[in-house]
Structures are given as structure tokens and as C-alpha cells.
Amino acid sequence: TLDGVPQGDPFGGWVIWASLPTQLIGDVTIVRGGGAGAYGAGALTGVVDLSERATPGIAAEARAGSFDTARGTLVGETDLAGNDVLVGLSGGRSDGYFPVRYGAGAADETLSESDWSGVLRVTRDLADGRLAGRVSYYDEDRGSGVAGASARARGGTASLTLAASPVDGRRGYRLQGWVKTSDLYNASASIVGADRDASRVTNEQYRTPAVGAGLNAALRGGDAQHEWELGGDLRYASRETRERLYTAGSPSGSRIAGGKTLTGGVYGEATRIYGDLLATGALRVDYWSNTDAHRADTSLATGAALPGTPAAAPDADGVMPSVRLGLRRQFGDAWLRTAAYTAFRPPGLNELHRPFNVGAVRTEANGSLKPERLAGAEVGAGIERGAVSADVTLFYNELDDAITNVTLTPTLRQRQNAGTVEALGVEAETAWKPTSTLAFRLAAAWTDATTQADLRPAQAPEITVTARAAWTPITRLTLEALARHEDARFDDDLN
């Protein structure tokens, strides 16, 4: 989320990071674990909550690197007629690298990328709060590494927020509405011949128009010893995929498929301090629905329905509760914490209605998917003493009706609710700042995740390690060294 607005695409759920240049971000809050609260359905195991900068002045950044890579960002913020006005522009490009390292042929290309984005935000202080309006747009092109395969994503967001913080016994509030639009072009191609000297298009999604909209409202209150919040939110999304189907590299059919989703909920959460003990609790109840599913696969030659086209799924809906309880105890400069939670995620339009190809492998959508449901618990400890801090968390999650791509044949997969995934893991990090100009950070995560078939979930590395060193010899100059390691992962559900 960015200042409360979900950043996932209304159809695919993916985040276009090119639309969120780092110079625009003022703060990042990581909410660990799932559960109820203001973030709504979908936050299965946590939230990345971004806050946009609110600092008058100009920030500029330029980068250049190998593979003909370049990026520039310019952000300006100033007072204009009593309004705080922020304008930001960002753009970049890269020729990318060849994903096929050995045995590449004439059909292999680089993973190229180019993008640009812009944002305008106007904020005005009111007698007891603040009104903010924001509009943004992005456009991103990617080469997919094979001749004839490419992708383009573009879209925009508009939001309006009226909010006030609780102060001096006065209750705070938030009222926010937002609209998102997006469109995706995606062409996939498969390799022809053992020497990879040619390729042919297998599928072309020439348009996937989508719209998403949401409302959220909350009332907050409390004092130094306790806080509470009551609120609700509503999210709607609608989208179609419009495709050309290919046989032996030539257009042979067309497809139109899509549907609508709706999720709405109400929640209450509270925090209470008892000396060195902090207790939190939250309860949330959501309604979800999948409606208006439709799909038509037709022959270009005859206009008749193609054989094997699955029937559109019937409408489905349900009610799902979520709960979270947490405790945190302070021991001087150290602390212990524990939490238990449940959460759920309804399937997105992409999973319900959008088939796709990667080379010769086809993945079918599934309009009958059920929501994923998660139950989890964690316990952690930390300390902050002088220039050194450390934190470690042990967690266990159980994900029921996990949505994943299930292999049916060597060239066919389908999204299915594939039973239960169990995950036991440890997250740890430590930081050391020996001087005011020098800082170090090391973080690692180990996750032992298994499916009902006693295999690892696809695309899930067991170990991740990150390290950072930063030196600021003068105020206007910072030098950084960053390293990241992830161990091997499997491409599919069969490992």
C-alpha cells in the first residue's frame, strides 16, 4: 500500500515497481504476520506499507550501469497558494542480459526494459485535518528474452484522502477513495529447433482492460495507555483478457474472458499498555464474491466455439472472519513478543480468468478457485543496546487451499487449490553503527516449506541473506555496498 492505497494491479495483483521510484518514498513500515485490521483481505503474511515523502525541496537521482542501463528521477515539492504540491517524474531503460547462458541461438534476445512514470499530489491543511488528492501514471515495456515475445503494462491511479490524527482527546478519522486502471499487452513465443535458431508466437494478449476501485473509512481514539480503531473497506475489480490464439505461428482463434470480484469488510482493533506489557487484538469479518465470469474461445476461420473451451464458472461468494492477538513485553533495552493470527485471500481475476503461455507451456485459469486461508503464530526477541541492535523471529504458517499452478502434462498446468502448505521458519537481522557516518546491516531468513506431496512450493528459496554497508564521509555523499544471496528454487510444483 502507498498511504493506504493498494498498489497491486486490479487484475493481476502484481506491483509495477517502476511506478514507485525510491525518491518518492519517505518511509516504509513492515507489518509482520497476517490477521485482521485496516489492510483488508489479501494480507496473508504481512504488509509493506509505503508512505510518500512530504519534504519541501528538490530531489534528483541519476544512475548508470552495465547492459546499457540508465535511470533518472526528479521530484519537487513546494507550497503553492497554501497547498503542498508534489510533482515527480521517473524513467529508465536497460538492454538487459541474455537469460540463456549456454547454447543460445538466433531466437534468443536480451531481457530489455524501458519505463516512465509521473505523479502529481496536492495536499491542503484543513481546520482539523488534511485533504490530499493524487494522480499517477506509468508505462513499462519489457522484452521477454525470445524473439516475438514481449510485454507492455500501463495504467493510472487517482485517490482522494481526508484524514485527521487523534489529538488532545479528539478522535481521529480517515476517509479515502481510489480508482485504478490498467492494461497489459503480452505476447509469448516458443523455440523452434534444437539449435534455437527460430521462434514462433504461441499467444498474444493484445488487451486486458481492467478497473479497480475502493473505499475505506476509519475512526480512531484513545489515550497514552490505549488506542482503538473501528473501520471498514470495500474493493471492486473488473477485467477482461482479449487474445489472439496461434497455431504453428499463425493466428487461428480468439479469446475473450473475464469477470468481476468484490471484497468488503468491517474491523475493530485495539492496543492496551500495562506497564511494560503491550497487548493488541483485532477482529475482522469480510464478504467476498466472484461474479460475471465469461469466456469465449472461437475459431477465426469459422467463428465457431473451439473444442475443449471450459464453461464459465458460476457465481460464488462467502463470509470469512479473521483475528489477530499479540503481546510484547519490554525488559529494559530488550523485548519479547508473540502473535497468533488467521487471514484469507480471495483469488484474483488473473487466477480466475486469465490463461497464459510461457514458451510451449500453457497455464489454464480456474474460475472455481476458493479463497486461500492461513493460520499462523510467531515468537520473537530483540535488543537495542548502544550502536548494536538485533532481532530474531520464529514463525509457523499453515496455508489451506493454497492456490498454485498444478502440472497436468509436460506442457499444461492449471491454477488449483492444491491442499495445504506448511511453513516453519526463522527471520533474523542485526545492525551495527560504530560511528555517526558508518553503518552495517545483516539479515537472513530460513524457511522450511512443504506441500501435501512433501515437496517445496514453486519459486520458494529455502535461504535468503542480505547485507549492507554504508559510509557517509560528508553530508551530501553516501557510499553503499549491497549483497544478496538466495539458494536454489524449483520452477514448478513437481520440483
Side-chain angles (χ1 to χ4, degrees), residues 1-4 7 15 17 20-32 39 46-54 429 441:
T1 61
L2 177 65
D3 293 325
Q7 293 302 293
V15 176
W17 292 106
L20 294 168
T22 54
Q23 289 285 359
L24 277 176
I25 307 304
D27 193 22
V28 181
T29 300
I30 306 298
V31 183
R32 298 174 185 266
Y39 297 103
V47 177
V48 180
D49 184 23
L50 308 177
S51 299
E52 198 162 54
R53 58 170 280 159
E429 62 179 291
R441 180 182 178 275

Side-chain angles (χ1 to χ4, degrees), residues 44 343-347 370-374 399-403 417:
L44 271 180
F344 89 106
R345 184 186 73 88
K370 298 181 293 184
E372 297 178 315
R373 296 171 290 113
L374 179 133
L399 181 65
D400 292 324
D401 290 325
I403 297 174
N417 292 110

Side-chain angles (χ1 to χ4, degrees), residues 405-414 492-494:
N405 298 332
V406 175
T407 300
L408 304 179
T409 73
T411 59
L412 179 63
R413 302 172 185 171
Q414 185 190 36
D492 61 22
D493 60 309
L494 300 182

Side-chain angles (χ1 to χ4, degrees), residues 51-345:
S51 299
E52 198 162 54
R53 58 170 280 159
T55 306
I58 295 176
E61 181 180 84
R63 299 186 183 198
S66 55
F67 305 114
D68 288 330
T69 300
R71 174 162 296 279
T73 304
L74 179 64
V75 180
E77 185 175 355
T78 187
D79 180 86
L80 185 63
N83 301 295
D84 181 88
V85 179
L86 177 144
V87 178
L89 293 171
S90 179
R93 67 172 305 278
S94 176
D95 281 348
Y97 61 92
F98 283 93
V100 178
R101 300 185 183 184
Y102 307 104
D108 291 295
E109 296 181 345
T110 60
L111 296 170
S112 60
E113 193 269 353
S114 64
D115 65 80
W116 71 270
S117 65
V119 60
L120 170 65
R121 187 193 71 204
V122 180
T123 306
R124 187 172 186 85
D125 289 329
L126 306 177
D128 64 345
R130 174 170 288 191
L131 180 66
R134 185 183 189 275
V135 292
S136 64
Y137 184 83
Y138 66 84
D139 193 322
E140 180 185 71
D141 285 279
R142 289 184 178 271
S144 301
V146 175
S150 63
R152 181 184 184 186
R154 50 187 170 180
T157 302
S159 64
L160 190 64
T161 306
L162 177 64
S165 300
V167 62
D168 298 331
R170 185 189 67 195
R171 292 172 181 171
Y173 61 86
R174 180 185 69 254
L175 181 62
Q176 183 177 68
W178 51 267
V179 176
K180 300 176 72 72
T181 62
S182 68
D183 199 0
L184 170 71
Y185 171 90
N186 185 70
S188 57
S190 61
I191 297 295
V192 179
D195 55 1
R196 306 180 66 87
D197 61 348
S199 65
R200 60 189 180 195
V201 176
T202 57
N203 180 272
E204 184 184 23
Q205 294 171 330
Y206 60 91
R207 282 206 68 196
T208 57
V211 61
L215 291 169
N216 63 78
L219 187 65
R220 297 180 59 195
D223 54 33
Q225 299 302 311
H226 76 281
E227 294 182 353
W228 58 266
E229 179 171 313
L230 298 174
D233 60 75
L234 185 69
R235 283 178 285 173
Y236 164 86
S238 172
R239 192 168 195 174
E240 278 190 339
T241 176
R242 303 173 187 175
E243 307 175 36
R244 296 184 184 94
L245 310 179
Y246 285 72
T247 301
S250 299
S252 59
S254 68
R255 171 182 296 127
I256 297 178
K260 300 174 182 178
T261 63
L262 178 72
T263 305
V266 293
Y267 68 90
E269 57 184 0
T271 301
R272 180 78 184 188
I273 298 175
Y274 302 92
D276 292 329
L277 182 67
L278 173 70
T280 66
L283 175 65
R284 182 180 177 95
V285 180
D286 282 282
Y287 168 82
W288 63 271
S289 70
N290 304 324
T291 60
D292 196 29
H294 55 279
R295 178 164 171 173
D297 293 11
T298 57
S299 167
L300 290 182
T302 66
L306 292 174
T309 302
D315 293 352
D317 63 355
V319 176
M320 196 76 67
S322 304
V323 64
R324 181 183 178 100
L325 299 172
L327 293 172
R328 186 178 189 272
R329 176 66 186 270
Q330 195 76 28
F331 298 92
D333 50 13
W335 61 86
L336 290 173
R337 67 172 182 272
T338 184
Y341 41 80
T342 63
F344 89 106
R345 184 186 73 88

Side-chain angles (χ1 to χ4, degrees), residues 348-369:
L349 290 169
N350 178 54
E351 296 162 317
L352 292 166
H353 305 299
R354 176 183 173 247
F356 67 92
N357 288 63
V358 177
V361 179
R362 176 173 181 75
T363 300
E364 266 290 345
N366 185 350
S368 299
L369 291 172

